[in-house]
């Protein structure tokens, strides 16, 4: 079973919820930190990292001796990562999606693809929870390839809890894609509701079942509740605004470490998801 | 010398566009005769890579200098690769004609 934890708005408690779910799941669970721009599940789970491997993408390299500047590579590039300036193609590597189309299109065979490391994937263990996390290097922009390499490192046969990046763009889609269920964490504020509605649109397009965890549930307004009731979206849990949780968080402790009774709540969420027919 | 100016319209009295890659027009101005050619910028609506594409367009028109407000990092690299000099910091409250005259005066022409 693969459960992704996403949100739309940042700072609603995705990582807190994902870590609590992983710690409440019992045996054979792995947490994947796919928020590769700002991975922070390790701050709460304190994993021991066994192995760190580079995450690389393929970039085209033009052989100037073979290239005649015909521009076939630039023409085929959907992302305009190659532009012929003067009489040679110039690569704008941050625009490149590593599709390899340019190398196929070049009639002179002047383009080959070479790997470039843009981040790292860390693999380890956090007290019975297997742990894989991605980290995009400073100055790099392509999150999805690093996210896919994190997912490729997930141990076989385990349940996966995926801590997703905020937002609703490519990195969020790359993280949520392929899940059996998506948990959307939000807060009862106009901003939380606004970005929740965007995230709901994305998850519906991806065609997977989903529900909402309402964090800081006893403050703010009632608009998220009203929205969920109107749209028929289940509210899986309400986490109160509680100073004890905030203090624990500030010391790098998870929800269930702060309040062991939460284990029942989060295990219940996972049980409910499993009963809904997920693998 | 041919000067490319990012502009909001297709004439010398149009205001300068402070945006480079997604400006509406480039005016390719001949500094000797002050004759100009307006070029509609095909990169305006591109979701990504507008800067390099805009550079390709003005390079194909023979521009040696570009007057504009700001350029992004991709456009800056593309200008360097194309050998086009960047004169940034132009104000959107100037007309294209004023910007060109000011540039030529500062360049001592």
């Amino acid at each position: 079973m693969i459960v992704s934890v996403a949100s739309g708005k940042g700072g609603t408690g995705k990582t807190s919820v994902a870590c609590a779910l992983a710690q409440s799941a019992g045996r054979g669970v792995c947490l994947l930190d796919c928020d590769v721009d700002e991975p922070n599940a390790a701050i709460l789970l304190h994993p021991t990292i066994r192995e760190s491997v580079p995450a690389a993408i393929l970039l085209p390299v033009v052989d100037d001796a073979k290239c005649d500047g015909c521009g076939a590579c630039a023409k085929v590039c959907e992302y305009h990562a190659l532009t012929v300036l003067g009489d040679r193609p110039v690569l704008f590597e941050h625009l490149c999606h590593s599709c390899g189309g340019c190398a196929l299109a070049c009639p002179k065979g002047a383009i080959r693809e070479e790997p470039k490391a843009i981040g790292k994937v860390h693999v380890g263990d956090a007290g019975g929870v297997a742990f894989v996390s991605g980290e995009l290097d400073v100055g790099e922009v392509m999150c999805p390839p690093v996210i896919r390499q994190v997912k490729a490192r997930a141990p076989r046969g385990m349940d996966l809890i995926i801590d997703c990046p905020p937002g609703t763009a490519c990195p969020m889609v790359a993280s949520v894609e392929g899940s059996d269920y998506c948990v959307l964490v939000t807060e009862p504020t106009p901003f939380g509701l606004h970005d929740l509605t965007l995230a709901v649109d994305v998850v519906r397009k991806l065609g997977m079942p989903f529900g909402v965890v309402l964090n800081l549930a006893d403050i703010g307004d009632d608009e998220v509740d009203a929205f969920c009731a109107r749209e028929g979206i289940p509210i899986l849990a309400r986490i109160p605004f509680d100073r004890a949780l905030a203090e624990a968080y500030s010391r790098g402790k998870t929800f269930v470490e702060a309040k062991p009774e939460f284990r029942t709540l989060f295990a219940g969420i996972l049980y409910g998801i499993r009963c809904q027919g997920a693998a | 010398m041919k000067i490319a100016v990012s502009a909001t319209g297709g004439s010398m009295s149009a205001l300068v566009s402070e945006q480079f890659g997604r400006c509406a027009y480039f005016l390719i101005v001949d500094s000797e005769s002050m004759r100009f050619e307006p070029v509609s910028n095909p990169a305006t609506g591109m979701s990504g890579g507008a800067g390099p594409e805009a550079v390709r367009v003005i390079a194909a028109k023979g521009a040696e200098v570009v007057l504009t407000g700001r350029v992004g990092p991709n456009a800056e690299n593309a200008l360097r690769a194309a050998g086009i000099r960047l004169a940034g910091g132009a104000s959107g409250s100037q007309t294209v004609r004023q910007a060109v005259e000011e540039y030529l005066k500062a360049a001592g022409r």
Side-chain angles (χ1 to χ4, degrees), chain A residues 78-80 83-86 90 92-95, chain B residues 46 48-49 52-53 55-56 74 77-78 81-82:
Chain A
E78 182 69 21
Y79 301 100
H80 308 280
T83 302
V84 177
L85 296 166
V90 177
F92 297 90
E93 62 172 59
H94 288 162
L95 300 175
Chain B
M46 280 168 57
E53 176 62 10
V55 172
R56 192 189 62 75
N74 285 328
N77 288 337

